Amino acid sequence: MTQEYQYKEREIEKDPAKEFRFGEGKISGVLSLVLGILSLLAVFAYLYPSYLTTTDLRKTYDAGQLQTVLKYGMYFSLLFGALTLILNKARYKYFGLAGITLTLIGFALGGYKIPVGAVEPKEISLGVDWLILAFLGSTAIFMVLEKLFPKYRDQLIMRPEWDVDLFYFCFNHLAISAILIFGNYHASHFDWALSPSLQESIQSMPITFQVILIVLSADFVLYWEHRAYHEIKLLWPVHAVHHSIEDIDWLAGSRGHFIQVFSERAMVMIPLYLLGADETALNAYVVFAALQAILIHTNLSIPFGPLKYVFVTPQFHHWHHSSEKPAIDTNYSAHTVLYDRLFGTYHLPGNHWPAEYGTTKRIPRTVIGQTLHPFFPNKKVPEKK
């Protein structure tokens, strides 16, 4: 049946009115506003680090050095805001004014000169630092790559429902401490399965082998959890929120119902907890998993050569998001294609990419509607025009 399927090219209608073009003030206005928001958030994080930063993440960066980044962010926000006002485009000058205002508030509160001292750890805090660093890193790497090597050149940066996915991105990062606490609490219930001798053996391995073992173990758990969300009728409405995305890019991977966000973290913590690998190997896996989770959703045309037959790549995961018949309920793996190969759910038809994304039955398009969807799965939603 798969061989008989006629694969089509995806069509995206070009919308020049919503594009970013030099000289119109939109680029500088948005940059000013974004930097103004991030700068003010960073100032609050420096003022109230116990409540607005995450204990584990603070160990990985120098708060004093990051004040230099904050300094340039604040000044560039003012610069871009002023440029927007000079260009005097009525539609975008308010972005510049808002960016300047937020930045000046940040300066008034202490700006980049707030003293950095010891931080009293709190069990629950908002991950404002994690949000800022993840957003800056993601946009600097993946958004730039998408503009340099796009799969779908006419897909907009602010494509349909980008604001919905931005909300999910912010929620997932701000709630990181609660997610970690839940994951660790869940994993602690498997104390009965701990084997000190096994953990000692694993820790004696070279770090590279430990990382490979972690990846394969985590991927096995994530594969079956992911497959359960698809094939158990009661669970599908929760996972359908993630599959409701109809335009895929780096930001799209953030969309997910909070039930799934917490459960995925809890499930993947189990193999990490039981293996007891070296902290260096665990940190390497966390970085690898975080980057790959964004990469596989990107609008990228970069060829991965033979690597696409080993690791999950954008083409492979885009097919998982396709609403076309041959691709439905395939490509469950998160890291490697191994388990999809082993268990018969692999779908990678040559050089073809999906023509259609989303769910076969459309679900609500708002955050509130999607949050409520698992509880009212039969509510009718208008089809896409």
PDB file of all heavy atoms in Angstrom, residues 224-255:
ATOM      1  N   TRP A 224       8.301   3.372  23.446  1.00  0.00           N
ATOM      2  CA  TRP A 224       7.086   2.681  23.869  1.00  0.00           C
ATOM      3  C   TRP A 224       6.086   3.625  24.520  1.00  0.00           C
ATOM      4  O   TRP A 224       4.863   3.446  24.401  1.00  0.00           O
ATOM      5  CB  TRP A 224       7.432   1.510  24.785  1.00  0.00           C
ATOM      6  CG  TRP A 224       7.982   0.361  23.999  1.00  0.00           C
ATOM      7  CD1 TRP A 224       9.274  -0.061  23.949  1.00  0.00           C
ATOM      8  CD2 TRP A 224       7.248  -0.472  23.086  1.00  0.00           C
ATOM      9  NE1 TRP A 224       9.400  -1.117  23.076  1.00  0.00           N
ATOM     10  CE2 TRP A 224       8.179  -1.396  22.535  1.00  0.00           C
ATOM     11  CE3 TRP A 224       5.917  -0.537  22.684  1.00  0.00           C
ATOM     12  CZ2 TRP A 224       7.801  -2.359  21.606  1.00  0.00           C
ATOM     13  CZ3 TRP A 224       5.537  -1.497  21.758  1.00  0.00           C
ATOM     14  CH2 TRP A 224       6.468  -2.399  21.230  1.00  0.00           C
ATOM     15  N   GLU A 225       6.589   4.644  25.202  1.00  0.00           N
ATOM     16  CA  GLU A 225       5.662   5.636  25.742  1.00  0.00           C
ATOM     17  C   GLU A 225       4.967   6.373  24.603  1.00  0.00           C
ATOM     18  O   GLU A 225       3.752   6.578  24.615  1.00  0.00           O
ATOM     19  CB  GLU A 225       6.405   6.631  26.637  1.00  0.00           C
ATOM     20  CG  GLU A 225       5.459   7.610  27.308  1.00  0.00           C
ATOM     21  CD  GLU A 225       6.104   8.934  27.669  1.00  0.00           C
ATOM     22  OE1 GLU A 225       7.122   9.278  27.059  1.00  0.00           O
ATOM     23  OE2 GLU A 225       5.578   9.617  28.551  1.00  0.00           O
ATOM     24  N   HIS A 226       5.748   6.776  23.618  1.00  0.00           N
ATOM     25  CA  HIS A 226       5.221   7.495  22.461  1.00  0.00           C
ATOM     26  C   HIS A 226       4.207   6.629  21.712  1.00  0.00           C
ATOM     27  O   HIS A 226       3.127   7.098  21.330  1.00  0.00           O
ATOM     28  CB  HIS A 226       6.388   7.880  21.539  1.00  0.00           C
ATOM     29  CG  HIS A 226       6.043   8.933  20.546  1.00  0.00           C
ATOM     30  ND1 HIS A 226       6.985   9.530  19.739  1.00  0.00           N
ATOM     31  CD2 HIS A 226       4.849   9.494  20.190  1.00  0.00           C
ATOM     32  CE1 HIS A 226       6.401  10.410  18.958  1.00  0.00           C
ATOM     33  NE2 HIS A 226       5.102  10.409  19.207  1.00  0.00           N
ATOM     34  N   ARG A 227       4.543   5.373  21.531  1.00  0.00           N
ATOM     35  CA  ARG A 227       3.645   4.467  20.818  1.00  0.00           C
ATOM     36  C   ARG A 227       2.344   4.270  21.601  1.00  0.00           C
ATOM     37  O   ARG A 227       1.259   4.185  21.005  1.00  0.00           O
ATOM     38  CB  ARG A 227       4.347   3.126  20.596  1.00  0.00           C
ATOM     39  CG  ARG A 227       3.557   2.172  19.711  1.00  0.00           C
ATOM     40  CD  ARG A 227       4.428   1.043  19.206  1.00  0.00           C
ATOM     41  NE  ARG A 227       3.655   0.122  18.388  1.00  0.00           N
ATOM     42  CZ  ARG A 227       4.156  -0.888  17.690  1.00  0.00           C
ATOM     43  NH1 ARG A 227       5.468  -1.117  17.725  1.00  0.00           N
ATOM     44  NH2 ARG A 227       3.378  -1.667  16.971  1.00  0.00           N
ATOM     45  N   ALA A 228       2.450   4.218  22.920  1.00  0.00           N
ATOM     46  CA  ALA A 228       1.254   4.077  23.756  1.00  0.00           C
ATOM     47  C   ALA A 228       0.327   5.274  23.575  1.00  0.00           C
ATOM     48  O   ALA A 228      -0.907   5.120  23.497  1.00  0.00           O
ATOM     49  CB  ALA A 228       1.650   3.923  25.219  1.00  0.00           C
ATOM     50  N   TYR A 229       0.901   6.473  23.489  1.00  0.00           N
ATOM     51  CA  TYR A 229       0.086   7.666  23.290  1.00  0.00           C
ATOM     52  C   TYR A 229      -0.677   7.612  21.966  1.00  0.00           C
ATOM     53  O   TYR A 229      -1.761   8.195  21.837  1.00  0.00           O
ATOM     54  CB  TYR A 229       0.960   8.920  23.326  1.00  0.00           C
ATOM     55  CG  TYR A 229       1.066   9.553  24.693  1.00  0.00           C
ATOM     56  CD1 TYR A 229       2.289   9.630  25.364  1.00  0.00           C
ATOM     57  CD2 TYR A 229      -0.056  10.091  25.313  1.00  0.00           C
ATOM     58  CE1 TYR A 229       2.389  10.218  26.617  1.00  0.00           C
ATOM     59  CE2 TYR A 229       0.030  10.683  26.572  1.00  0.00           C
ATOM     60  CZ  TYR A 229       1.250  10.739  27.221  1.00  0.00           C
ATOM     61  OH  TYR A 229       1.340  11.323  28.458  1.00  0.00           O
ATOM     62  N   HIS A 230      -0.118   6.937  20.986  1.00  0.00           N
ATOM     63  CA  HIS A 230      -0.782   6.818  19.692  1.00  0.00           C
ATOM     64  C   HIS A 230      -1.811   5.691  19.656  1.00  0.00           C
ATOM     65  O   HIS A 230      -2.883   5.846  19.059  1.00  0.00           O
ATOM     66  CB  HIS A 230       0.260   6.561  18.594  1.00  0.00           C
ATOM     67  CG  HIS A 230       0.890   7.812  18.071  1.00  0.00           C
ATOM     68  ND1 HIS A 230       0.561   8.373  16.857  1.00  0.00           N
ATOM     69  CD2 HIS A 230       1.829   8.622  18.604  1.00  0.00           C
ATOM     70  CE1 HIS A 230       1.269   9.460  16.660  1.00  0.00           C
ATOM     71  NE2 HIS A 230       2.064   9.638  17.701  1.00  0.00           N
ATOM     72  N   GLU A 231      -1.495   4.588  20.270  1.00  0.00           N
ATOM     73  CA  GLU A 231      -2.291   3.387  20.055  1.00  0.00           C
ATOM     74  C   GLU A 231      -3.282   3.072  21.172  1.00  0.00           C
ATOM     75  O   GLU A 231      -4.125   2.192  21.021  1.00  0.00           O
ATOM     76  CB  GLU A 231      -1.354   2.206  19.816  1.00  0.00           C
ATOM     77  CG  GLU A 231      -0.487   2.425  18.571  1.00  0.00           C
ATOM     78  CD  GLU A 231       0.448   1.259  18.276  1.00  0.00           C
ATOM     79  OE1 GLU A 231       0.328   0.216  18.960  1.00  0.00           O
ATOM     80  OE2 GLU A 231       1.294   1.395  17.372  1.00  0.00           O
ATOM     81  N   ILE A 232      -3.196   3.772  22.301  1.00  0.00           N
ATOM     82  CA  ILE A 232      -4.194   3.617  23.363  1.00  0.00           C
ATOM     83  C   ILE A 232      -5.192   4.764  23.230  1.00  0.00           C
ATOM     84  O   ILE A 232      -4.828   5.942  23.372  1.00  0.00           O
ATOM     85  CB  ILE A 232      -3.529   3.619  24.755  1.00  0.00           C
ATOM     86  CG1 ILE A 232      -2.578   2.418  24.877  1.00  0.00           C
ATOM     87  CG2 ILE A 232      -4.586   3.578  25.852  1.00  0.00           C
ATOM     88  CD1 ILE A 232      -1.802   2.380  26.181  1.00  0.00           C
ATOM     89  N   LYS A 233      -6.414   4.424  22.947  1.00  0.00           N
ATOM     90  CA  LYS A 233      -7.434   5.420  22.613  1.00  0.00           C
ATOM     91  C   LYS A 233      -7.585   6.491  23.679  1.00  0.00           C
ATOM     92  O   LYS A 233      -7.769   7.675  23.376  1.00  0.00           O
ATOM     93  CB  LYS A 233      -8.769   4.709  22.388  1.00  0.00           C
ATOM     94  CG  LYS A 233      -9.874   5.616  21.863  1.00  0.00           C
ATOM     95  CD  LYS A 233     -11.136   4.828  21.570  1.00  0.00           C
ATOM     96  CE  LYS A 233     -12.226   5.751  21.019  1.00  0.00           C
ATOM     97  NZ  LYS A 233     -13.470   4.991  20.710  1.00  0.00           N
ATOM     98  N   LEU A 234      -7.490   6.123  24.942  1.00  0.00           N
ATOM     99  CA  LEU A 234      -7.663   7.079  26.037  1.00  0.00           C
ATOM    100  C   LEU A 234      -6.541   8.112  26.069  1.00  0.00           C
ATOM    101  O   LEU A 234      -6.754   9.262  26.486  1.00  0.00           O
ATOM    102  CB  LEU A 234      -7.726   6.319  27.368  1.00  0.00           C
ATOM    103  CG  LEU A 234      -7.995   7.158  28.627  1.00  0.00           C
ATOM    104  CD1 LEU A 234      -9.391   7.775  28.550  1.00  0.00           C
ATOM    105  CD2 LEU A 234      -7.844   6.310  29.880  1.00  0.00           C
ATOM    106  N   LEU A 235      -5.333   7.725  25.625  1.00  0.00           N
ATOM    107  CA  LEU A 235      -4.173   8.610  25.693  1.00  0.00           C
ATOM    108  C   LEU A 235      -4.032   9.522  24.471  1.00  0.00           C
ATOM    109  O   LEU A 235      -3.429  10.595  24.562  1.00  0.00           O
ATOM    110  CB  LEU A 235      -2.889   7.789  25.857  1.00  0.00           C
ATOM    111  CG  LEU A 235      -2.753   6.969  27.139  1.00  0.00           C
ATOM    112  CD1 LEU A 235      -1.437   6.197  27.124  1.00  0.00           C
ATOM    113  CD2 LEU A 235      -2.827   7.874  28.361  1.00  0.00           C
ATOM    114  N   TRP A 236      -4.570   9.092  23.343  1.00  0.00           N
ATOM    115  CA  TRP A 236      -4.358   9.835  22.103  1.00  0.00           C
ATOM    116  C   TRP A 236      -4.780  11.309  22.187  1.00  0.00           C
ATOM    117  O   TRP A 236      -4.047  12.189  21.705  1.00  0.00           O
ATOM    118  CB  TRP A 236      -5.046   9.155  20.929  1.00  0.00           C
ATOM    119  CG  TRP A 236      -5.121  10.041  19.720  1.00  0.00           C
ATOM    120  CD1 TRP A 236      -6.232  10.578  19.128  1.00  0.00           C
ATOM    121  CD2 TRP A 236      -4.005  10.545  18.956  1.00  0.00           C
ATOM    122  NE1 TRP A 236      -5.894  11.370  18.072  1.00  0.00           N
ATOM    123  CE2 TRP A 236      -4.537  11.363  17.940  1.00  0.00           C
ATOM    124  CE3 TRP A 236      -2.612  10.390  19.052  1.00  0.00           C
ATOM    125  CZ2 TRP A 236      -3.722  12.023  17.008  1.00  0.00           C
ATOM    126  CZ3 TRP A 236      -1.804  11.039  18.128  1.00  0.00           C
ATOM    127  CH2 TRP A 236      -2.369  11.843  17.124  1.00  0.00           C
ATOM    128  N   PRO A 237      -5.945  11.673  22.773  1.00  0.00           N
ATOM    129  CA  PRO A 237      -6.318  13.091  22.823  1.00  0.00           C
ATOM    130  C   PRO A 237      -5.271  13.975  23.511  1.00  0.00           C
ATOM    131  O   PRO A 237      -5.157  15.160  23.184  1.00  0.00           O
ATOM    132  CB  PRO A 237      -7.638  13.081  23.607  1.00  0.00           C
ATOM    133  CG  PRO A 237      -8.210  11.729  23.351  1.00  0.00           C
ATOM    134  CD  PRO A 237      -7.018  10.812  23.316  1.00  0.00           C
ATOM    135  N   VAL A 238      -4.514  13.406  24.454  1.00  0.00           N
ATOM    136  CA  VAL A 238      -3.441  14.176  25.097  1.00  0.00           C
ATOM    137  C   VAL A 238      -2.320  14.439  24.092  1.00  0.00           C
ATOM    138  O   VAL A 238      -1.868  15.578  23.926  1.00  0.00           O
ATOM    139  CB  VAL A 238      -2.885  13.418  26.324  1.00  0.00           C
ATOM    140  CG1 VAL A 238      -1.686  14.167  26.907  1.00  0.00           C
ATOM    141  CG2 VAL A 238      -3.966  13.245  27.377  1.00  0.00           C
ATOM    142  N   HIS A 239      -1.900  13.406  23.404  1.00  0.00           N
ATOM    143  CA  HIS A 239      -0.791  13.535  22.454  1.00  0.00           C
ATOM    144  C   HIS A 239      -1.214  14.270  21.182  1.00  0.00           C
ATOM    145  O   HIS A 239      -0.373  14.852  20.496  1.00  0.00           O
ATOM    146  CB  HIS A 239      -0.263  12.145  22.105  1.00  0.00           C
ATOM    147  CG  HIS A 239       0.990  12.161  21.289  1.00  0.00           C
ATOM    148  ND1 HIS A 239       2.124  12.840  21.670  1.00  0.00           N
ATOM    149  CD2 HIS A 239       1.286  11.585  20.085  1.00  0.00           C
ATOM    150  CE1 HIS A 239       3.079  12.677  20.759  1.00  0.00           C
ATOM    151  NE2 HIS A 239       2.587  11.927  19.783  1.00  0.00           N
ATOM    152  N   ALA A 240      -2.516  14.254  20.888  1.00  0.00           N
ATOM    153  CA  ALA A 240      -3.012  14.934  19.687  1.00  0.00           C
ATOM    154  C   ALA A 240      -2.696  16.425  19.718  1.00  0.00           C
ATOM    155  O   ALA A 240      -2.570  17.059  18.662  1.00  0.00           O
ATOM    156  CB  ALA A 240      -4.518  14.719  19.556  1.00  0.00           C
ATOM    157  N   VAL A 241      -2.546  16.979  20.905  1.00  0.00           N
ATOM    158  CA  VAL A 241      -2.183  18.402  21.020  1.00  0.00           C
ATOM    159  C   VAL A 241      -0.860  18.654  20.309  1.00  0.00           C
ATOM    160  O   VAL A 241      -0.721  19.628  19.554  1.00  0.00           O
ATOM    161  CB  VAL A 241      -2.101  18.821  22.500  1.00  0.00           C
ATOM    162  CG1 VAL A 241      -1.522  20.228  22.636  1.00  0.00           C
ATOM    163  CG2 VAL A 241      -3.482  18.754  23.152  1.00  0.00           C
ATOM    164  N   HIS A 242       0.123  17.802  20.529  1.00  0.00           N
ATOM    165  CA  HIS A 242       1.414  17.957  19.857  1.00  0.00           C
ATOM    166  C   HIS A 242       1.271  17.763  18.350  1.00  0.00           C
ATOM    167  O   HIS A 242       1.907  18.464  17.563  1.00  0.00           O
ATOM    168  CB  HIS A 242       2.428  16.959  20.419  1.00  0.00           C
ATOM    169  CG  HIS A 242       3.792  17.067  19.810  1.00  0.00           C
ATOM    170  ND1 HIS A 242       4.560  18.207  19.901  1.00  0.00           N
ATOM    171  CD2 HIS A 242       4.522  16.177  19.088  1.00  0.00           C
ATOM    172  CE1 HIS A 242       5.708  18.019  19.253  1.00  0.00           C
ATOM    173  NE2 HIS A 242       5.712  16.798  18.749  1.00  0.00           N
ATOM    174  N   HIS A 243       0.421  16.849  17.958  1.00  0.00           N
ATOM    175  CA  HIS A 243       0.244  16.560  16.528  1.00  0.00           C
ATOM    176  C   HIS A 243      -0.657  17.558  15.815  1.00  0.00           C
ATOM    177  O   HIS A 243      -0.823  17.467  14.598  1.00  0.00           O
ATOM    178  CB  HIS A 243      -0.300  15.139  16.342  1.00  0.00           C
ATOM    179  CG  HIS A 243       0.768  14.111  16.333  1.00  0.00           C
ATOM    180  ND1 HIS A 243       1.383  13.681  15.181  1.00  0.00           N
ATOM    181  CD2 HIS A 243       1.360  13.439  17.350  1.00  0.00           C
ATOM    182  CE1 HIS A 243       2.298  12.775  15.478  1.00  0.00           C
ATOM    183  NE2 HIS A 243       2.312  12.616  16.800  1.00  0.00           N
ATOM    184  N   SER A 244      -1.223  18.494  16.542  1.00  0.00           N
ATOM    185  CA  SER A 244      -2.106  19.475  15.912  1.00  0.00           C
ATOM    186  C   SER A 244      -1.334  20.513  15.112  1.00  0.00           C
ATOM    187  O   SER A 244      -1.922  21.311  14.377  1.00  0.00           O
ATOM    188  CB  SER A 244      -2.958  20.173  16.977  1.00  0.00           C
ATOM    189  OG  SER A 244      -2.143  20.944  17.850  1.00  0.00           O
ATOM    190  N   ILE A 245      -0.007  20.513  15.210  1.00  0.00           N
ATOM    191  CA  ILE A 245       0.828  21.479  14.489  1.00  0.00           C
ATOM    192  C   ILE A 245       0.700  21.241  12.983  1.00  0.00           C
ATOM    193  O   ILE A 245       0.867  20.121  12.508  1.00  0.00           O
ATOM    194  CB  ILE A 245       2.306  21.327  14.897  1.00  0.00           C
ATOM    195  CG1 ILE A 245       2.454  21.451  16.406  1.00  0.00           C
ATOM    196  CG2 ILE A 245       3.172  22.353  14.195  1.00  0.00           C
ATOM    197  CD1 ILE A 245       3.771  20.949  16.920  1.00  0.00           C
ATOM    198  N   GLU A 246       0.446  22.308  12.250  1.00  0.00           N
ATOM    199  CA  GLU A 246       0.271  22.186  10.796  1.00  0.00           C
ATOM    200  C   GLU A 246       1.376  22.866  10.008  1.00  0.00           C
ATOM    201  O   GLU A 246       1.422  22.759   8.784  1.00  0.00           O
ATOM    202  CB  GLU A 246      -1.103  22.758  10.408  1.00  0.00           C
ATOM    203  CG  GLU A 246      -2.252  21.948  11.024  1.00  0.00           C
ATOM    204  CD  GLU A 246      -3.621  22.570  10.815  1.00  0.00           C
ATOM    205  OE1 GLU A 246      -3.669  23.754  10.385  1.00  0.00           O
ATOM    206  OE2 GLU A 246      -4.632  21.900  11.080  1.00  0.00           O
ATOM    207  N   ASP A 247       2.261  23.574  10.691  1.00  0.00           N
ATOM    208  CA  ASP A 247       3.437  24.182  10.072  1.00  0.00           C
ATOM    209  C   ASP A 247       4.616  23.922  11.010  1.00  0.00           C
ATOM    210  O   ASP A 247       4.671  24.472  12.111  1.00  0.00           O
ATOM    211  CB  ASP A 247       3.240  25.686   9.872  1.00  0.00           C
ATOM    212  CG  ASP A 247       2.102  25.991   8.917  1.00  0.00           C
ATOM    213  OD1 ASP A 247       2.343  26.006   7.699  1.00  0.00           O
ATOM    214  OD2 ASP A 247       0.967  26.203   9.403  1.00  0.00           O
ATOM    215  N   ILE A 248       5.571  23.113  10.548  1.00  0.00           N
ATOM    216  CA  ILE A 248       6.642  22.642  11.426  1.00  0.00           C
ATOM    217  C   ILE A 248       7.872  23.541  11.332  1.00  0.00           C
ATOM    218  O   ILE A 248       8.348  23.866  10.235  1.00  0.00           O
ATOM    219  CB  ILE A 248       7.045  21.192  11.056  1.00  0.00           C
ATOM    220  CG1 ILE A 248       5.831  20.281  11.029  1.00  0.00           C
ATOM    221  CG2 ILE A 248       8.087  20.662  12.022  1.00  0.00           C
ATOM    222  CD1 ILE A 248       5.235  19.987  12.366  1.00  0.00           C
ATOM    223  N   ASP A 249       8.391  23.926  12.494  1.00  0.00           N
ATOM    224  CA  ASP A 249       9.675  24.612  12.564  1.00  0.00           C
ATOM    225  C   ASP A 249      10.271  24.378  13.947  1.00  0.00           C
ATOM    226  O   ASP A 249       9.745  23.577  14.731  1.00  0.00           O
ATOM    227  CB  ASP A 249       9.529  26.109  12.249  1.00  0.00           C
ATOM    228  CG  ASP A 249       8.662  26.854  13.274  1.00  0.00           C
ATOM    229  OD1 ASP A 249       8.275  26.240  14.293  1.00  0.00           O
ATOM    230  OD2 ASP A 249       8.372  28.044  13.055  1.00  0.00           O
ATOM    231  N   TRP A 250      11.372  25.070  14.271  1.00  0.00           N
ATOM    232  CA  TRP A 250      12.104  24.823  15.519  1.00  0.00           C
ATOM    233  C   TRP A 250      11.239  25.026  16.754  1.00  0.00           C
ATOM    234  O   TRP A 250      11.453  24.379  17.778  1.00  0.00           O
ATOM    235  CB  TRP A 250      13.327  25.736  15.596  1.00  0.00           C
ATOM    236  CG  TRP A 250      12.998  27.173  15.849  1.00  0.00           C
ATOM    237  CD1 TRP A 250      12.722  28.136  14.914  1.00  0.00           C
ATOM    238  CD2 TRP A 250      12.895  27.822  17.115  1.00  0.00           C
ATOM    239  NE1 TRP A 250      12.447  29.331  15.524  1.00  0.00           N
ATOM    240  CE2 TRP A 250      12.543  29.176  16.881  1.00  0.00           C
ATOM    241  CE3 TRP A 250      13.066  27.407  18.445  1.00  0.00           C
ATOM    242  CZ2 TRP A 250      12.363  30.095  17.897  1.00  0.00           C
ATOM    243  CZ3 TRP A 250      12.884  28.325  19.469  1.00  0.00           C
ATOM    244  CH2 TRP A 250      12.531  29.645  19.192  1.00  0.00           C
ATOM    245  N   LEU A 251      10.254  25.910  16.645  1.00  0.00           N
ATOM    246  CA  LEU A 251       9.412  26.230  17.789  1.00  0.00           C
ATOM    247  C   LEU A 251       8.299  25.200  17.995  1.00  0.00           C
ATOM    248  O   LEU A 251       7.770  25.059  19.095  1.00  0.00           O
ATOM    249  CB  LEU A 251       8.806  27.629  17.599  1.00  0.00           C
ATOM    250  CG  LEU A 251       8.102  28.295  18.775  1.00  0.00           C
ATOM    251  CD1 LEU A 251       9.026  28.406  19.990  1.00  0.00           C
ATOM    252  CD2 LEU A 251       7.592  29.671  18.372  1.00  0.00           C
ATOM    253  N   ALA A 252       7.973  24.471  16.944  1.00  0.00           N
ATOM    254  CA  ALA A 252       6.830  23.557  16.975  1.00  0.00           C
ATOM    255  C   ALA A 252       7.003  22.414  17.978  1.00  0.00           C
ATOM    256  O   ALA A 252       6.030  21.907  18.526  1.00  0.00           O
ATOM    257  CB  ALA A 252       6.581  22.974  15.587  1.00  0.00           C
ATOM    258  N   GLY A 253       8.245  22.010  18.223  1.00  0.00           N
ATOM    259  CA  GLY A 253       8.476  20.904  19.137  1.00  0.00           C
ATOM    260  C   GLY A 253       8.067  21.204  20.564  1.00  0.00           C
ATOM    261  O   GLY A 253       7.930  20.286  21.385  1.00  0.00           O
ATOM    262  N   SER A 254       7.849  22.473  20.884  1.00  0.00           N
ATOM    263  CA  SER A 254       7.463  22.842  22.248  1.00  0.00           C
ATOM    264  C   SER A 254       6.002  22.555  22.537  1.00  0.00           C
ATOM    265  O   SER A 254       5.610  22.448  23.705  1.00  0.00           O
ATOM    266  CB  SER A 254       7.726  24.341  22.473  1.00  0.00           C
ATOM    267  OG  SER A 254       9.095  24.632  22.334  1.00  0.00           O
ATOM    268  N   ARG A 255       5.177  22.453  21.482  1.00  0.00           N
ATOM    269  CA  ARG A 255       3.748  22.257  21.711  1.00  0.00           C
ATOM    270  C   ARG A 255       3.494  20.866  22.298  1.00  0.00           C
ATOM    271  O   ARG A 255       3.871  19.852  21.714  1.00  0.00           O
ATOM    272  CB  ARG A 255       2.951  22.422  20.420  1.00  0.00           C
ATOM    273  CG  ARG A 255       1.449  22.328  20.640  1.00  0.00           C
ATOM    274  CD  ARG A 255       0.647  22.432  19.360  1.00  0.00           C
ATOM    275  NE  ARG A 255       0.858  23.688  18.644  1.00  0.00           N
ATOM    276  CZ  ARG A 255       0.057  24.125  17.669  1.00  0.00           C
ATOM    277  NH1 ARG A 255      -0.998  23.402  17.312  1.00  0.00           N
ATOM    278  NH2 ARG A 255       0.315  25.266  17.055  1.00  0.00           N
TER     279      ARG A 255
END
